[in-house]
Structures are given as C-alpha cells and as structure tokens.
Amino acid sequence: MGTNQLPPEEGGDNILPVDLKAALEERYLAYALSTIMHRALPDVRDGLKPVHRRIIHAMSEMGIRPNSAFKKCARIVGDVIGKFHPHGDQSVYDALVRLAQDFSQRYPVVDGQGNFGNIDGDSAAAYRYTEARMTDVAALLLEGIDQDAVDFRPTYNEEDDEPTVLPGAFPNLLANGASGIAVGMATSIPPHNAHELCDAALYLIKNPGASVEELFADPAHPERGGIEGPDFPTGGVIVESRASMLETYRTGRGGFRVRAKWEIEDLGRGGYQIIVTQIPFQVQKSRLIEKIAELLIARRLPLLEDVRDESAEDIRLVLVPKSRTVDATLLMESLFKLTELESRIPLNMNVLSQGKVPKVMALNEVLTEWLDHRKDVLVRRSKFRLAAIDRRLEILGGLLIAYLNLDEVIRIIREEDEPKPVLIAKWDLTDNQAEAILNMRLRNLRKLEEFEIRKEHDALSAEKAEIESLLASTDKQWQTVAWEIGEVKKKYAKATDLGRRRTVFSDAPDADVEAIQQAMIEKEPITVVISEKGWIRALKGHISDTSSLTFKEGDALKVAFPAQTTDKILLVTTGGKVYTLGGDKLPGGRGHGEPLRIMVDMENDQDVLTAFVHDSSRKLIFVSTAGNGFIVPEGEVVANTRKGKQVMNVGMPDEAKLVVPVSGDHMAVVGENRKLLVFPLAQIPEMTRGKGVRLQRYKDGGISDVKFFAIADGLTWADSAGRTFTKTKEELVEWQGDRASAGRLVPKGFPRSGKFSG
C-alpha cells in the first residue's frame, strides 16, 4: 500500500466521497469487458476461448501429445487451475469433457478415455476416473508454439507465461463452432466441414477480397469447392434455402433449420414404422423421447401409436404410426412442428477480432483474419528459424577455424592460463565461437568431423537463403500458407472417415399447413355453446336440440353450432374485433363452461355479437348499427393472439351489428324504419380493416337486417308463421337503387320483426 493511502496522523476517517453512478459504471464496465475478453467470446484466429486455450496449453506443457500415453484428467485440471485459470475445477473439467465429446465437437480436440458422457445428456465420470490426451487437431493448433509463433503474457500470478492465442494451423473457429453468452452480447457458431473450409481459404488466398457468394459452394462449379453450409457432428438434414444461408453468412447473423434424418422401414403386408437415425445438433435424445411421450399421453399426436428407443452405439428411434394408412410425411411434419426433431441452430458470428475487439463478422472476414494470422505465424516462425540458423552458422564458422588450426588451438588450450581471450585475439573469434571451441569433445577431433561441419554449413546456408527469400516475398509467404492448408485438407479430406460430410441438405416437403395442424389434434365432433353473458363450453358430439341446455341464473343461450375439435372458432364482438379459438382448446361440457374473458382479452364494454366455424374460402360482410359495411375475406380476420384482431372500426354509440357470409350478386338491406333497398354487390368495397361505406341512409334509427341473393332467383323471405315469399327480379324494380339510398317501404307480407327470416 502506498504511503499516500495511509490515514493521516491527526486522525479522521480519510473517507473519499465517490459518485455512486460513476463507480458502478466503471466497475460494471470492467466486469463486462473481462467477461467478453477473457471468458465468453472465442478468438477469431484460433477459435478458442481462454479456458480451452489454457487446457490445450497445459496439456502441451505436461507433454501429453497425440502419440503419448493418456494422463488422468484430474492432473490436467489441477495444472490448468493451478497455473493458468483460477476458476472452479468443475467448470474447467466440463470444458475439457466437451472438447472430447464426438457429438459436441465436429473435430474433437481432446482424445478421452473413460466415460465422457453421451448424447442422452448423461454427464461424464468424475475427473479422477477419466483420462485424456491431445488429438491431432490440438497438435495442429499448437504447431510452432515453441518457435516464437505467438505472443506470450504472464499468467494471473506472474509465475509462468501463457500464449495469448495459439498458432492455429487448423480452421478451428468454423470447424468446431462455438457458443457463449457474455455481457450484452452472445456468440453462436455452428460447426463446419474442414475440407470445405480449406477449399474456401485456398480460394481466398488466390482471390483476396472474394465475396461470401464466391466462397460458397456453387453447384455450377463443383471443381471450385467451397462451403456448403454447417456440418454437425450428429448429422441431420438442413432444410434452409441457399439464399437464406448466403444472407446468414453475409451478415454474420441468422440461423439454420435442422431436422432429424428418418427413413421408412417396411414391416410387410402394408405395415411400416419410421426409423430416426440422426437427430439435430445439441438435442438430448432422452429428453426428446420424453417430450414425444408426453405429447402422446396428451393426445397431441393422433397419428402416432408409440415411440421406442432402440439405440445402441448408433441412434435408432422407432416411431410406430396409428395405422398403416397414416401418411408418413404428414406424421413426421407434425412431429417436426411439436418436438425437437426439428430445431433451429442460430448463427451469430460475434468473435474477438485481433483478440481485442468483439464484433459480428461475415464468413469472408473470419477466414481472411485466420489467413492473416497464419501468415503472421509463418513469418514469426521463419524469423525464429533464421535466428537459430545464424547462431549455428556462427558456431560452425568457429569450429572450422579450429579444425584448420587444430595444433595451435590445442597448444593454446594446454599452455595458456586463460585460453579464451587468446583464442579470440588470435583468430578474431566471437565469444560464442570461442566458447564452442572450448566445449568441443575430444572424440569430435576425428577427420570426418570437418567434412560433416562443412556439409551442415552448406545445408544451413541454403536453408537460410530460402527463408530470406520467403521473408522478402509476400507471394511466397502466401504460397507456403496455401501449402500448409493443403496438407490439413489432405488430412481431413471428405474421403477420410472423420472428414466425411455428415449433414446433408434437403428442401422441406411442401406439406399442407392445414393438414399438419389437423394431424396434431384428434378429430372429434363437438357442439360449441355460448351464453348471453359470455360463457363458452364445448359439448361432445353434435347436439341438434339445444332446449335441454342449462345456464346460470339470469343467463340464456346466445349461439350454439356444431364443429370439430380440429376447427378454428371465430368470435366477433360488438366492438368490431375478431378472436380465434381452437376447437380443441375449449372447456368441456360439464357445468357452465368458462367465461370468454378468461380466454381472450375482451373489453368490458363489448359483448359477443356472434361466433361460427372458420372457413377460409368464404367472404364475410361486417355491418354496423349505423348502416356502414364492407366485405372482408374470412382468411384475413383470423387472429393468433389473445388480443384478437380489430376488423371493423366503430365508436360508441355505433357498434358492429351483423356478420354475414357473402353470396350471390345483389344485396337487400332493411332498416329499422322498415325501408328496403336492393343494390348490386359490386358497389360494396373489399377491405381487410376499416369503417366501411354507407349501405343505406336513415334519418333516425339504424339497420335491421341484410341478405345476399342472386337477382335472377329473386328475393326470398319467411314470415313468423313460416310462410315463404319471393319477389322476382321484375317485381323488385321499385326497391332497386344505388348504395346509400334511403330505399322504399317494405312490400306486403314482410315480417314485423324486420328480419328476412321472420
């Protein structure tokens, strides 16, 4: 503690007032930066977060190479937290385990021995039981680390040094992917195929500044290669369009829809079962089966009979259809909708550029930065090698002088008290050369040695010239980087077992959305009953006689109609709003049902006007009390939320009064003033929302009823006694007019109620 921070002699608390806002901002920013830089985001150059880099470096320091023996994970974790990473042992071990799981990593970095968990979500054995060593991928990431390829920094206690980034001869960021949540930002990168990444990198070396489209595999140019899309360790089928994937890679943000891979297994005699052999990335198999079983019990999958897990080393989920007539595609589409058999893998290429700046990068930017890093590593390794060659050539030069003057050298060493300065003065040697001569063994004085020294000198001189020409030429540097990438490509080519592409691409079948919706609900007949006070229920079966229905005190039947559990029920309120309810979601017929206001957000001053089964092929007319109206396609009024959809704009005291399906070519309107007007349907506009247009003009009162009809058939109505009246086209002439006219008094025999139905 500095002397200026000690309390003053004369007492006092020496308390310094600090602005709380500024102090919190400063501390929170420091925490946020620490999380972003040193924990959650990977470096674009080696694709590693600090914990992974430290695990690999610790294994390297311990001498655990791909060809060495396995070592206990407890030792590795101990070294990591003792020397480099002062965090919890379990968190470090979890990171180590993930690096070894072949269902988490496309190209595992750690070779594990023992129980390292499985795709069912079971955790690994404790670190005292498991053992690990590096894979060839880790060796590639470290290649050249002892040749000054990267910068080192002191560890947290400044006892050791650790690399700030690894040389990264393997395109690890994209090949293995990454995910992490920092403060205010996150990253999520799916794994890719190393062969394709190498192809894209090689193309980028030849064509600097190439766009994302050029790096993407083009079916028209298969010889060029390039990135086709993610390649997950667990396989699966990507059902994303090429255009969508291009946009995702161009912006660095987006996602990929991945589906399980399935096939039909024929059981003979027309029977079949579906076998799922690959599931989407990062989906736990056991949880997936639990979810399917839950949906089966909840009767949400009426096409499915049973699900079984017959997996051993490979995945084999058996889905048994309800009957042999079930369409397999439709069954799978309903499962994709409801379960993790289809999952969306996000891409958010938020990485540390230059190891310092977090930013979202496009595919070509990520590859360019990796290539630049590879070039830097090459230059640094070359300079390191050059310095080593220079030191050796200097020593070889001194040794040659000694051989040429061997007797004199021996004499000086035997007779002089301080031979070193004498040697230096006699032949103008450097300190290193003199030291090398003095350290020479007697056995090296044989004749052959001089020849070998000259041979080594020539070889090193030739290598030095090569390195110097490499350092002098950017083109040669890029050629060397390309050669190195070519070697990696050979090692992880698609022809190899590890390099073979596992994820395939396909278009999702164009299954009818309605059919899929229906496939998720068990189809049963129901009767929907709504009371005057807004209570709703669904009775089983179709009930034609509603007189036996009971209601609460002071309540009565508003509307009742037959439907199916698979239907959508449309509910229209006096405020011109439409709500949508699923037939399968309605409360059962026991008791009086439930108040509608619990199920939808209805305003208190509005009531139910009507309800009916949705038919997307129809058109409806909305009419308000004041006599305004417009036509709307029924598909446009469906609402997907509790809030409903405002279709008709009405303000008190005006309300929505009638909703009628449109038919025929003319419309008859009758007002409360018992005036009738007939005009062509073409005069009414079609809209999706609005106030509508005036249908009939009134001095006072409003509309009573409307009816659609074909003018050729004439206008029909029924009176209260059930008698039917028809006015032909010729007889209707005096009531025909234009929309918004007043009309004329109704003809004789028109019902007193002012309704066309008596």
Side-chain angles (χ1 to χ4, degrees), residues 450-470:
E450 183 187 342
F451 171 71
E452 281 175 13
I453 286 171
R454 286 188 186 280
K455 194 169 149 192
E456 188 183 349
H457 192 285
D458 292 345
L460 287 176
S461 299
E463 190 183 343
K464 180 181 176 179
E466 260 181 45
I467 293 173
E468 280 172 340
S469 75
L470 173 74

Side-chain angles (χ1 to χ4, degrees), residues 173-190:
L173 178 75
L174 287 165
N176 272 325
S179 66
I181 299 169
V183 177
M185 56 178 70
T187 185
S188 175
I189 303 169

Side-chain angles (χ1 to χ4, degrees), residues 64-137:
I64 310 174
R65 294 274 153 188
N67 51 3
S68 65
F70 287 92
K71 288 250 170 70
K72 276 269 186 268
C73 289
R75 284 186 62 186
I76 300 167
V77 171
D79 256 34
V80 172
I81 61 177
K83 289 183 179 175
F84 309 111
H85 198 71
H87 295 269
D89 57 341
Q90 196 54 48
S91 62
V92 173
Y93 181 52
D94 288 346
L96 173 65
V97 164
R98 201 171 175 283
L99 290 178
Q101 290 174 334
D102 59 1
F103 53 87
S104 296
Q105 297 279 298
R106 179 64 185 81
Y107 299 93
V109 176
V110 171
D111 184 5
Q113 186 166 269
N115 173 12
F116 275 80
N118 60 23
I119 201 163
D120 274 337
D122 298 331
S123 51
Y127 54 47
R128 61 182 178 274
Y129 300 119
T130 54
E131 297 178 334
R133 66 181 177 193
M134 280 183 200
T135 61
D136 290 332
V137 172

Side-chain angles (χ1 to χ4, degrees), residues 347-381:
L347 181 137
N348 181 13
M349 210 110 70
N350 191 5
V351 286
L352 291 177
S353 173
Q354 304 297 333
K356 295 185 183 70
V357 188
K359 67 175 186 179
V360 177
M361 301 173 86
L363 177 72
N364 50 354
E365 294 174 310
V366 167
L367 282 171
T368 301
E369 202 151 315
W370 176 62
L371 288 172
D372 289 343
H373 175 58
R374 291 301 302 146
K375 184 163 156 284
D376 286 347
V377 166
L378 174 70
V379 169
R380 288 182 64 151
R381 286 178 70 184

Side-chain angles (χ1 to χ4, degrees), residues 370-535:
W370 176 62
L371 288 172
D372 289 343
H373 175 58
R374 291 301 302 146
K375 184 163 156 284
D376 286 347
V377 166
L378 174 70
V379 169
R380 288 182 64 151
R381 286 178 70 184
S382 301
K383 285 179 177 169
F384 178 83
R385 177 67 183 144
L386 200 58
I389 289 173
D390 282 339
R391 284 196 300 276
R392 183 65 183 155
L393 284 175
E394 179 191 345
I395 287 166
L396 290 175
L399 292 177
L400 274 176
I401 290 170
Y403 279 111
L404 293 173
N405 305 280
L406 198 53
D407 294 342
E408 183 62 13
V409 168
I410 291 168
R411 187 194 66 73
I412 292 170
I413 291 169
R414 288 186 68 184
E415 293 176 7
E416 296 291 339
D417 293 335
E418 286 287 338
K420 193 171 173 183
V422 178
L423 287 172
I424 289 171
K426 176 106 178 162
W427 288 291
D428 195 16
L429 301 175
T430 63
D431 194 274
N432 284 345
Q433 288 174 326
E435 197 65 44
I437 291 168
L438 291 170
N439 287 339
M440 209 165 44
R441 290 179 177 172
L442 283 173
R443 77 156 61 132
N444 289 358
L445 297 179
R446 58 207 174 102
K447 267 188 185 169
L448 272 172
E449 201 65 33
E450 183 187 342
F451 171 71
E452 281 175 13
I453 286 171
R454 286 188 186 280
K455 194 169 149 192
E456 188 183 349
H457 192 285
D458 292 345
L460 287 176
S461 299
E463 190 183 343
K464 180 181 176 179
E466 260 181 45
I467 293 173
E468 280 172 340
S469 75
L470 173 74
L471 290 173
S473 161
T474 312
D475 284 352
K476 279 192 177 171
Q477 288 164 24
W478 281 124
Q479 277 171 19
T480 311
V481 170
W483 176 81
E484 287 173 347
I485 291 170
E487 291 301 300
V488 173
K489 180 177 152 183
K490 274 186 212 161
K491 194 164 189 177
Y492 297 98
K494 286 184 176 176
T496 64
D497 201 38
L498 182 59
R500 186 174 45 80
R501 183 169 249 295
R502 297 179 191 177
T503 303
V504 295
F505 298 88
S506 171
D507 295 325
D510 293 331
D512 180 9
V513 178
E514 284 297 316
I516 295 167
Q517 291 292 342
Q518 310 284 11
M520 293 186 208
I521 305 164
E522 201 135 350
K523 189 171 182 177
E524 291 175 335
I526 52 169
T527 302
V528 179
V529 179
I530 300 175
S531 76
E532 293 279 359
K533 291 192 172 170
W535 285 66

Side-chain angles (χ1 to χ4, degrees), residues 13-29:
D13 296 336
N14 197 33
I15 292 172
L16 298 172
V18 177
D19 175 30
L20 181 63
K21 183 171 180 285
L24 280 176
E25 278 177 359
E26 181 191 324
R27 285 158 176 71
Y28 192 72
L29 182 66

Side-chain angles (χ1 to χ4, degrees), residues 708-747:
F708 292 99
F709 66 101
I711 193 84
D713 301 337
L715 175 63
T716 306
W717 69 83
D719 67 4
S720 51
R723 287 175 303 188
T724 305
F725 294 80
T726 303
K727 286 276 183 192
T728 64
K729 180 178 177 180
E730 289 72 26
E731 291 171 320
L732 285 171
V733 169
E734 64 176 293
W735 286 277
Q736 283 187 20
D738 282 332
R739 174 180 66 71
S741 310
R744 301 185 62 170
L745 276 173
V746 293

